[in-house]
Amino acid sequence: MKNDPKRKIYTEILKTKGYKLTAPRLLVLDVFLQNRKPLNADFVYEKVRTKKTDRVTVYRTLKIFESARVIHQVNLKKDSVFFELTKDHHHHIVCLECGLIEDFDACTIDQLAKNVISKSPYFSSIDHHSLELFAICKKCNKG
Amino acid sequence: MKNDPKRKIYTEILKTKGYKLTAPRLLVLDVFLQNRKPLNADFVYEKVRTKKTDRVTVYRTLKIFESARVIHQVNLKKDSVFFELTKDHHHHIVCLECGLIEDFDACTIDQLAKNVISKSPYFSSIDHHSLELFAICKKCNKG
DNA sequence: ACACTAATTGCAAATCATTTGCAATTAGTG
DNA sequence: CACTAATTGCAAATGATTTGCAATTAGTGT
Ligand SMILES: [Mn+2]
Ligand SMILES: [Mn+2]
Ligand SMILES: [Zn+2]
Ligand SMILES: [Zn+2]
């Protein structure tokens, strides 16, 4: 949404890093703001193709957003790569059989991360983390 | 190694699930037992190609091992998919710049997982989890 | 040990996601 | 409004993974 308060945050990040705010980039950003779940290139492309935006541009935009830390990859064990907005942090339980995804917010990683960092010879801070749970859902357990 | 005590555990799992213990499958299993880190198809193939094992067979074997829960995918944000042995559970800090990987074992997910499960309408137990930390390593922070 | 059969393999070709080269277009600056 | 580097679209290339199919083989039972 154009009126999402987070929209400005992300556009500012992009500007600060020296990226131009082009039409395709704003379109892709809005797809993420309007679909609060992990998205892959194909999903994004289907949403912007009508507006004369090429598939290649989607891929390149995802790369730029990733390097600007506007989005980051989510590990869902699917065939293609999924991304979500950096500031929409949450996690998932994924069914190993049918792919059902449930979100959850509770996350106690920060303390664990501190411990790990304090012992690490190579790292001194964490940028972000990925935590996903995998299971067989109740429905698949019966079938 | 033929003498790794875990080897029998994995071969029993495969037998129980009805998979034949073929030469290529044992070769691939041994590659995982001898290289305790996340491996992709190409790494495995390079280790077994001398022994007349096709790349396709490696891919098919990885699929079978995954469905038998002998290995599972690890999210490292690389171009190809990485796997590790299910019973070698540990986690990673990955440098977003240079790709440096550091292992760590400490993991307090079990309690968190219990909480999540107790509130979930769709899931009643966790099979396994994926937890990776992403950061810029000390070296890359300078350069 | 030998025969049987379904599972597995290797090879070649196909497919799918993602990347690259390049000429045309455009955002941001002054 | 002009300038210029960044960005885009199209077509072709690449790289990973998958599929079809005939030949081979593990596991089962004789
Ligand atoms: Mn998430
Ligand atoms: Mn691990
Ligand atoms: Zn399910
Ligand atoms: Zn680094």
Side-chain angles (χ1 to χ4, degrees), chain A residues 90-101:
Chain A
H90 66 277
H91 301 288
H92 311 92
I93 317 179
V94 185
C95 177
L96 292 162
E97 291 275 332
C98 69
L100 169 75
I101 299 176

Side-chain angles (χ1 to χ4, degrees), chain A residues 123, chain B residues 95-100 136-137 139-140:
Chain A
F123 296 90
Chain B
C95 177
L96 292 162
E97 290 276 331
C98 68
L100 169 74
I136 310 290
C137 76
K139 190 162 155 248
C140 288

Side-chain angles (χ1 to χ4, degrees), chain A residues 62-81:
Chain A
L62 292 176
K63 283 235 148 153
I64 282 171
F65 281 16
E66 198 184 6
S67 77
R69 310 287 167 76
V70 165
I71 60 174
H72 63 249
Q73 295 187 205
V74 185
N75 165 230
L76 295 180
K77 304 191 177 177
K78 309 272 180 154
D79 302 322
S80 63
V81 180

Side-chain angles (χ1 to χ4, degrees), chain B residues 7-19 65 68-70 86-87:
Chain B
R7 195 175 197 267
K8 171 147 284 188
I9 296 177
Y10 291 120
T11 55
E12 286 305 319
I13 293 176
L14 291 169
K15 270 203 228 168
T16 302
K17 307 247 173 175
Y19 295 116
F65 281 16
R69 313 284 167 78
V70 165
T86 305
K87 305 207 175 299

